[in-house]
Amino acid sequence: MDAETKKVKHRHVELAQKILDIATERGMTRGERLPEQALASRCNVSRTPIRKALQILADRLIVTAEPEGGYLLAIDPASFPGLEDEARPTEETELYNAILRDLSAGRIADSQTVASLQRRYDASRSAVQNALIKLSEDNLAERAPGQQWLIKQFAIGGDAVAKSLEFRLSCEPLALTLPGFHRDGPAITSLRHSMDILRGMNETNFDQKLFERTDFDFHMLIARSCGNPFMSEALVSHHRRRRSSQPPVHVNAYRLMQSNAEHMQILEQIERGQMDLASDLMRVHIQLSHSQRPRLAGRGVPPIFRVVG
C-alpha cells in the first residue's frame, strides 16, 4: 500500500470512527439501520466516502450489509472501545511522537521550521508537514510568522501534568455550576450505557480502551454543556491536548473501576439538578485520578462518594 493510498484509507477510518461516535451519541443499538444520507449530512461529506467508511466497518464485523442495500449495526456501539487505524502513515506517527519526546526532553527548541525538522529527523517534507498539522489539530503547535512553527512546550514539559491538574480543578467543578449549564439527556444516556458495561466487568477483564474513550467523552460532555463558550472552548481544547500529549501511565484496573463509579455518581447528580454536589464530586474525582493511588486496604468507593450513594 503506497503512502497516498494509506492517507486516503486513514481518512476513511477516521470517518468510520465518526460514524460510530454519532451512533453512540444517538443511543443506537445493535440491529438499527445506519442511514447513508443522514450520516453524509452530519459529517459534511458526500455519500461515497460514507459508503467506504461503512465498508471498513463491515470488514471488521461492526456493521452488516443488507441484501437490498444499506447497513445495520452488528454491535452495540457504546460497548466498542474504538477503531485501530493500521492505515495511519507510520512515518508521520513516529515523527509526531519523536517531536513531542525531544521537545519534552529539551533536545529541540520550541520554535522550528519544516526544513529544520526535515534535517533533524531525515524525513520527507510532506511527513513533517503532516506531523505539524496533526500537532496543530491537537492544539500542541501553531504557525508563527514566516516559516516558523511554535510547538507548545508548556503542554508537554516536566510540570505539565501538575499544571493541567491546577487548570482542571479551577475550571471543571466551576463549569458544572454555571447558570447556562445544559443537561444533554441523550448524551448522558449514551454515556451511562457505556459506564454500565464497564461496571459489569471485573479487574481481570476490565476493558481499558473502552474506559479511556468513555472517560474522554464524559469530560468533553461537561465541557460542551457548561453554557459558557469561553469556558467550553478552553476545556475542550485542554482535554484534546491532554489525551494526545500526556505519556501513558500504568493505572491498575481497580482505580479505573473506581473512576467509572465516580463518573456515574456525578452524572446522577447532574440528572437530579444537584449541580453544587456534582461540582464537589468532580473536584474529588480529579484529585483522586491525579493521585492514582487506590486504597488497597479497605477497598471501596471514597468516603464522599459513599455518602452520596
Side-chain angles (χ1 to χ4, degrees):
M1 186 184 294
D2 59 33
E4 188 59 35
T5 302
K6 281 187 176 181
K7 195 176 297 184
V8 170
K9 190 175 181 185
H10 170 58
R11 288 198 292 267
H12 293 151
V13 173
E14 287 185 327
L15 188 56
Q17 182 60 60
K18 190 169 185 179
I19 290 171
L20 289 177
D21 291 341
I22 291 169
T24 301
E25 288 172 11
R26 293 181 176 179
M28 297 177 70
T29 56
R30 181 168 50 189
E32 290 193 52
R33 174 182 285 274
L34 291 165
E36 287 182 7
Q37 187 55 58
L39 290 170
S41 300
R42 178 74 182 272
C43 298
N44 197 29
V45 296
S46 70
R47 294 176 68 169
T48 299
I50 290 291
R51 289 192 186 109
K52 291 182 178 179
L54 288 168
Q55 184 58 55
I56 288 173
L57 295 176
D59 292 342
R60 303 187 189 194
L61 306 181
I62 297 168
V63 302
T64 55
E66 290 194 288
E68 63 273 19
Y71 291 87
L72 302 178
L73 279 167
I75 64 164
D76 185 341
S79 67
F80 189 69
L83 290 171
E84 292 288 347
D85 184 6
E86 71 277 3
R88 180 181 291 278
T90 303
E91 183 184 10
E92 293 166 19
T93 303
E94 291 177 351
L95 187 54
Y96 173 97
N97 293 330
I99 292 171
L100 291 183
R101 190 167 53 247
D102 287 350
L103 186 67
S104 179
R107 289 189 287 265
I108 61 173
D110 56 3
S111 180
Q112 296 286 334
T113 64
V114 172
S116 67
L117 292 173
Q118 277 185 264
R119 288 192 297 271
R120 176 175 179 83
Y121 298 106
D122 191 23
S124 67
R125 184 174 183 83
S126 63
V128 171
Q129 288 175 325
N130 288 331
L132 287 169
I133 289 170
K134 182 173 180 355
L135 286 166
S136 176
E137 290 172 348
D138 292 337
N139 202 21
L140 292 168
E142 61 184 26
R143 288 186 179 275
Q147 300 297 315
Q148 299 291 316
W149 280 81
L150 184 63
I151 308 170
K152 300 179 181 179
Q153 190 167 21
F154 73 88
I156 57 176
D159 62 348
V161 174
K163 296 301 183 185
S164 171
L165 175 69
E166 289 177 2
F167 174 80
R168 294 180 64 201
L169 283 173
S170 299
C171 295
E172 284 195 89
L174 175 62
L176 286 160
T177 63
L178 294 177
F181 191 94
H182 168 67
R183 291 192 291 275
D184 186 338
I188 289 174
T189 300
S190 176
L191 266 176
R192 185 179 292 281
H193 191 185
S194 297
M195 292 173 186
D196 279 335
I197 292 169
L198 290 168
R199 184 171 59 176
M201 298 177 181
N202 57 40
E203 291 182 61
T204 303
N205 66 4
F206 194 80
D207 190 333
Q208 184 168 339
K209 285 191 64 180
L210 178 58
F211 171 82
E212 288 170 355
R213 195 196 80 183
T214 304
D215 175 73
F216 179 73
D217 289 347
F218 168 76
H219 289 285
M220 290 291 275
L221 172 68
I222 305 302
R224 289 170 172 152
S225 301
C226 72
N228 183 307
F230 297 100
M231 176 76 78
S232 179
E233 181 181 41
L235 282 172
V236 165
S237 175
H238 183 76
H239 287 309
R240 284 176 175 160
R241 177 191 294 152
R242 187 167 63 93
R243 182 175 64 169
S244 301
S245 64
Q246 290 189 3
V249 177
H250 174 72
V251 183
N252 66 36
Y254 170 72
R255 173 57 205 151
L256 301 183
M257 293 166 65
Q258 190 182 60
S259 183
N260 184 63
E262 293 160 15
H263 288 166
M264 296 187 77
Q265 289 215 26
I266 294 168
L267 276 187
E268 183 179 349
Q269 300 312 316
I270 292 172
E271 289 179 299
R272 291 178 175 178
Q274 300 292 327
M275 305 309 291
D276 287 338
L277 181 51
S279 175
D280 290 340
L281 293 173
M282 177 65 81
R283 185 172 292 104
V284 175
H285 166 67
I286 294 170
Q287 290 171 328
L288 287 169
S289 296
H290 178 69
S291 67
Q292 296 177 344
R293 287 190 291 269
R295 293 186 177 94
L296 298 179
R299 280 185 166 194
V301 179
I304 186 171
F305 287 92
R306 283 206 300 270
V307 170
V308 173

